[in-house]
Amino acid sequence: MSCGNPHDTDCREVLDKVYAYLDGELTEHDVVEIRVHLDECSPCLKEYDLDKAVKALVAKHCGCDPVPADLRSKVLDRIAQVRAELPD
């Protein structure tokens, strides 16, 4: 995905890191880059909001059970595959 506007951080790179961002798993440098990008890129902000809502919904309904690390990895790999197949 790309909004067509130039950014210091590419849209695809931001969206690839959005779940790590939501989980607080990024360095402070990456967090700042993503915040700046989301402030200036409305398509990515909408995608971030959607991802945030999905994460909250899953946490609400499945938050009691720990997720096996291999399942999380498989889901993230599949998300990456689907995003790679999407047209820019």
Side-chain angles (χ1 to χ4, degrees), residues 1-85:
M1 172 185 178
S2 177
C3 66
N5 297 323
H7 299 285
D8 289 340
T9 307
D10 182 68
C11 293
R12 186 171 294 277
E13 182 181 341
V14 168
L15 295 177
D16 286 345
K17 293 180 180 178
V18 77
Y19 279 103
Y21 176 80
L22 286 168
D23 291 339
E25 298 173 347
L26 298 178
T27 65
E28 185 61 31
H29 178 264
D30 287 339
V31 168
V32 169
E33 281 187 344
I34 290 175
R35 283 184 186 155
V36 167
H37 185 95
L38 293 175
D39 285 345
E40 61 189 31
C41 183
S42 62
C44 285
L45 181 59
K46 287 178 186 174
E47 182 71 23
Y48 164 77
D49 287 341
L50 175 62
D51 291 346
K52 185 177 177 182
V54 168
K55 183 172 174 58
L57 183 63
V58 169
K60 179 179 178 182
H61 294 285
C62 305
C64 300
D65 301 326
V67 177
D70 63 324
L71 175 60
R72 184 177 194 278
S73 177
K74 287 177 185 177
V75 169
L76 291 175
D77 287 345
R78 183 63 184 135
I79 290 170
Q81 288 174 345
V82 169
R83 282 198 173 132
E85 294 170 3

